[in-house]
Every structure is written in structure tokens, then in C-alpha cells.
Amino acid sequence: MLIRNRAAVLGSPIEHSLSPVLHRSAYEALGLEDWSYDRFAVGGQGEPSLREFLNGLGPQWLGFSVTMPLKEDALAIAVAASGHARDVGAANTLLRTPRGWIAESTDAYGLMEALLEAGVGRPGREPRSAVVLGSGATARSVLDALARLGARHVTFVVREQVRPETAQLARRLGLAVTEQIGLGRGALATLVAQSDVTISTLPTGTLLDLDPAATGSLSGRVVLDVVYGGWPTGLARWAQAGGALPLSGLGMLVHQAAEQVRLMTGRQAPVQVMRAAVLAGPHSNS
């Protein structure tokens, strides 16, 4: 079969990205035999920049998934961007148009769908208050998802201060903002117990010095760690021991990729097929 339509994931490092598994499984299930999906190392030391990579690509290249460290670059080089991508200041998707590349971000959609799967945001279970660990670009996508699901108040847990652009977005979305600088003894357990949902946007490998939460003290709470490799994380084990429902970032990963498939191909993505493809293999962070 002649490959007429090409897509790929770009970033650095890129070797362990799960995007090819997700997108290729979708293409196979949808019968898109004339589509291919690859990975390219872009943006790292000795590698081409995003602009250099995109220059001169043929018309068969229709879309890209974009991961670190290129999400801000993707927004900067696009001829247009969705309002959401501009709000979060980053893009994880580039779509080809006759005028050039358009930037989009599907992270908030992915998170929203993952939370809905866990029951958060359904009628009677709106997350009125939330705790967010970190305040970077991923946290801004989290804010968008939480606002769509009915949140009214967010507490940021940060080392120094909430990034101004993140706090500004929260207020534009109608969210009241509280800051928690650092985590004193037992502070996170208190915050989680008082909130409907807690989401960690901290990078892989971030160590949290957590005092054990009392058994049952976190019952009915949901704690989502956007990390999906090395599961369960220390935060997930801590949350489960306290009675909370721990969620990995795998659901967010699958749903954001499913939305990319829809945007690139125009076809509704087979979410369960994509999830099964990832679960069939080892999980690594990208």
C-alpha cells in the first residue's frame, strides 16, 4: 500500500515515546492503510530545531505530535493557534493547512476525559475544589480541564511561587486561587482531604517527602499523577494508603492521542483499542 499520509511525534529524547504505539494502533483499527506514523529526535543537542525540521517537508506530512522540549516552539512557529493553545502557552499538536501549520493542544481534553472515566465531573461529582502540584504548562492544561468540569477553587502547591501566567489563566477561567508554598509536615494530606481532586503535574522522578496519611483520611478523594511510567509512583502509593483513588497519567495520554488522531485524520479514534495497545507493552515516559 502506498503511504500517502504521514504523521509523527517530535521531541527529545524520543526513543521511548508511546505515541507511535497509540497512533499506529488507531490507524490499523480504522483501516487507514495509507497512513504512517513515525518518531524523530528534534530539539535536542546536535539535533535539528523544529523550524529546521519542518522546512521543506513534502505535502504528505499532515500532522505532528509535539513533546518536550518543543511545545512552546510549536506555538511560536504556527501561523495560527487555537485559543486553548494560546491560553496554556504551548502546543502538543501541529496540523497542516494550505496556509501553514496550525497549533493545537489536546492535553486538557485528555485530562478531562480521564477524569470523567473515573467519575470526576459527572453530575453530582463536579470537582468544586482542586489541588494542583506545580504551575507550568501542564498545570495550565489542568486548569482548563478543571474549569470545564465545574471547579471553582484551586490550590497550587509550589516550591516558590505560582507562575504569573498560570495564576492569570486560573482567574480568567473563573477559578479562585490559593497558594501553598512547599509542603510542611502533613500539609498535603490536609489539602487533599479538603479537596475533591488532586493533580500532580510534577516531572518524572520528583521526590515528595510525604508523611503517611491516616488510613481512610483521604476516602472519596481522587489523586491523579500525570506520570505514567514507573507506576505506581510514590504519590500514588501514598494516596492509596490514605484511601484515595490513585490515577496514572495513562488515561490522559490515551485520550489526548485519540483527539490528535481525530484532528489529523478526520476519523473518530478507537480509544479502547489504543488503550489496549499501550497496556500490552511496557510503559515508559516520553
Side-chain angles (χ1 to χ4, degrees):
M1 174 65 67
L2 179 64
I3 301 301
R4 300 181 185 277
N5 307 296
R6 302 191 67 180
V9 59
L10 311 177
S12 184
I14 202 66
E15 293 81 7
H16 299 298
S17 173
L18 295 176
S19 292
V21 174
L22 288 161
H23 285 254
R24 289 170 185 169
S25 65
Y27 296 170
E28 182 178 359
L30 293 170
L32 299 177
E33 297 179 357
D34 58 344
W35 277 79
S36 69
Y37 191 95
D38 301 292
R39 60 162 67 91
F40 296 98
V42 177
Q45 186 173 4
E47 298 166 354
S49 68
L50 181 59
R51 189 178 297 277
E52 289 169 340
F53 180 85
L54 294 177
N55 280 344
L57 287 181
Q60 73 273 28
W61 289 98
L62 300 182
F64 291 102
S65 307
V66 179
T67 187
M68 297 302 291
L70 302 174
K71 291 188 174 184
E72 292 181 354
D73 293 344
L75 185 62
I77 70 167
V79 297
S82 69
H84 170 60
R86 294 206 179 279
D87 278 343
V88 301
N92 73 342
T93 309
L94 286 172
L95 304 168
R96 186 175 216 127
T97 72
R99 296 188 298 119
W101 297 99
I102 290 181
E104 179 60 274
S105 177
T106 65
D107 284 337
Y109 173 85
L111 176 63
M112 184 175 68
E113 290 297 313
L115 289 173
L116 285 169
E117 281 185 339
V120 179
R122 298 195 181 280
R125 291 197 58 189
E126 295 84 357
R128 299 300 182 186
S129 60
V131 174
V132 178
L133 279 62
S135 65
T138 301
R140 293 193 288 277
S141 289
V142 168
L143 292 177
D144 186 277
L146 289 172
R148 295 190 210 182
L149 294 175
R152 294 292 179 265
H153 179 269
V154 61
T155 298
F156 290 101
V157 178
V158 291
R159 289 181 178 178
E160 296 179 357
Q161 67 176 17
V162 177
R163 296 188 185 184
E165 61 270 31
T166 303
Q168 291 166 10
L169 175 60
R171 294 187 175 98
R172 287 203 305 273
L173 292 170
L175 298 168
V177 175
T178 302
E179 295 186 20
Q180 171 73 38
I181 308 301
L183 289 174
R185 190 173 183 85
L188 186 60
T190 300
L191 288 174
V192 173
Q194 294 174 346
S195 300
D196 298 311
V197 61
T198 296
I199 301 173
S200 173
T201 68
L202 301 176
T204 301
T206 301
L207 297 177
L208 296 173
D209 186 15
L210 300 172
D211 288 334
T215 301
S217 63
L218 307 181
S219 179
R221 304 302 183 238
V222 174
V223 177
L224 187 150
D225 194 332
V226 299
V227 172
Y228 53 85
W231 191 261
T233 61
L235 178 63
R237 292 193 296 270
W238 172 86
Q240 188 168 34
L245 171 64
L247 301 175
S248 80
L250 187 63
M252 177 181 176
L253 175 74
V254 171
H255 282 288
Q256 65 82 26
E259 180 66 358
Q260 288 180 334
V261 169
R262 186 188 69 81
L263 289 170
M264 293 179 191
T265 70
R267 300 283 297 278
Q268 199 65 34
V271 173
Q272 297 310 321
V273 170
M274 296 169 71
R275 191 194 311 273
V278 171
L279 292 175
H283 299 166
S284 299
N285 287 313
S286 62

